[in-house]
Amino acid sequence: MSSHVTEARLAHIHGIPRRKPIDDLPLTFPETVAYAAREFSEKGISVLDRSGRNPDRRSFAEVLDSVKQAAGKWRALGVQNGDRILLCIPTSWEFVDSWLGAICIGAKPAAIAPAMGGLSSSSNFAERLEKFRSVIDASRLLVGDRMASDLRAQFPDTLGAISLTPGELFSEESGDQSFRQVEPEEMAFMQFTSGSTGMPRAVVITHQMATLNAYAINEGIGDRFGAPVSEWSELHSAWLPMHHDMGLIGCLLFCIANGIELSLMNPTTFLARPIRYLETFHKKRAVMSGPNFGYQFCVDRLKQSDVEGLDLSRLATANTGSEMVRPETFKAFSKLLEPTGFTPDKVMSCYGMAEATLAVSFDGFQKGVRTHSVPQKSEVLVENQDVVSCGFVVPDTEVKIVTQEGTTLNENELGEVLVKGPAVFSEYYKNEEATNEVLKDGWLYTGDLGFISNGELYIAGRSKEILVIRGDNIMPHELEWLAEEARGQGESGERTAAFSVSHEEVGEEIVLVVETNVTDTEKLGELDHSIRSRIGRAMSLPVHDLVFVRRGRIPRTSSGKIQRTKIKSDYISGAIERLDV
Amino acid sequence: MSPNTDSVLEVISKLASMPIDSLKRETELVADLGIDSPKALQLLVELEDEFGIEISDEEAARMETVGDVLDFYEKA
């Protein structure tokens, strides 16, 4: 493994060597879907029903047919090359067909979370839909039946007018089903990510970025087994939502491009009955994947009696990324699954982000979760003192660690993680300013803090202020604005700060600090309730701790911006003077 | 036969670890009981398993308060 380290001292590492040549592999979606149908005709995709059973399976040859039909249906509706489409439906064949069908005629889809299990009311949801729609100026909206009728009733001229249900799409007379000839450098689709201003950003993913990253994942996960995943995997089973890069790229596209059998489970099914997900791996040489949250969720919900009879001894690996990896979670997960033959060494942590299409690095050792202490104290708050190795960088990709001034650090020094490679993005859709903030000379400034030790990448935390709750990115502004709305017209200059703190077992939870002149305990109690209620209804998120402080107690910069990292460290050290509720 | 109010409340109370008499119709699932989306789905499964009536995702998405859950069963 030491051959992966190209520069021993500088914190700058290069990708692992490729085991499988990609010269003859397709670099566009239309070619990839056709290639899978031709080369991997015996493999395919299964979509499980709501109970997590009864797979509805199609071979890749059948997938090609259904994607062609979807392409024809989109065309029949007048959708053309370049049109943006917002997809807001759960994991289903309708999702797979409509997403791929749109891409294959040159339309540009982007997916967001459907209103599932969210307990969120439709008016709040419409606001959210419009926010995402406007970022990509989508001319079509694919939503569920109930949502479509609500939108048509409430917003007949705007969101309602462009709404379409899967039933309506697929009952269209089919138009021209042929795939468009596209160039690898063209945009294929977009994926949303949180922006620092509270508005989402749409990462433009080209055909080439997506396919190359799918091939890179095949190598990255395969590295520790001495062969790409496609050469040994019997199954890839996913519960991750399709609006999430780890679900869309890391599961769906990864399996189509590399010819791997895939099983798709709706996230609500996983959350309702996590055992059904584990059951899909019974006696299979397979890859499990998900954020830390998913594994912790299994630990919280399942008992050893639930996993009785389950055989996970052949499971190749349990892959985890997209939020901080917690060693305690995997200790508990391994203990829970011990009777099934699951061993802790199967765990593989990885690192990636939407701006790099998805995957950047994978832990290449079969040693399970390995930690390293954070090298040195820095100005930036690092909550975790021992952090997990995210391993080696995928082929053709580079990672380096730099200071705030941009100077490359040495190994074992903490700084910002930068990524460069063929899957790193080149623009947020129509947002040059945001692009220039994070992309300089081809290097993606991830905003994550990390270090390199022995040629391996360790992620220590975020320098950005994003909250990651159960693998979902949430911008502090969203919560702060809701809190300010709920408070109503407060005294001018009263501010609110949102951040998350990590709790050993449960992961990250939301803390809100609210400035107020109100001192009356009863009134504060009412305020407390209305803020929690507003956030609960709009985002389905409980606030772990709501702290009222006197006006002016949230630290601000000289230009008046609130300092969330400062107030967070005050909160953790107990230095906040909270008002009694 | 639709389940009685007390048995529905009992399921909610157990899941939220809150005493049954603290649950009012206007009690909000997320804000007051800390039932986030994974817990909400667990609640649905437990209600389904207990009473054998399936709740669709869209119906579930409309339940914001304890009263909304009770209403669902009163109509069922």
Side-chain angles (χ1 to χ4, degrees), chain A residues 317-338:
Chain A
T317 177
N319 189 291
T320 183
S322 103
E323 66 178 334
M324 291 292 287
V325 179
R326 291 168 190 283
E328 318 86 69
T329 296
F330 291 94
K331 255 183 224 152
F333 185 78
S334 304
K335 190 157 178 281
L336 170 73
L337 294 178
E338 204 183 348

Side-chain angles (χ1 to χ4, degrees), chain A residues 279-297:
Chain A
E279 283 168 0
T280 62
F281 296 97
H282 185 61
K283 294 187 177 173
K284 290 260 179 18
R285 186 156 166 79
V287 176
M288 184 184 284
S289 68
N292 196 93
F293 153 71
Y295 295 94
Q296 184 62 47
F297 187 72

Side-chain angles (χ1 to χ4, degrees), chain A residues 72 170 172-173 200 231 237 242 250 277 341 354-355 359 422 456 481 494 510 516 522-523 538:
Chain A
F170 289 100
E172 279 292 315
E173 291 282 316
E231 290 181 20
S237 176
M242 292 292 118
Y277 178 62
E355 284 86 348
E456 287 185 76
W481 291 343
E494 285 178 359
I510 297 170
T516 182
E522 198 174 312
K523 281 198 177 128

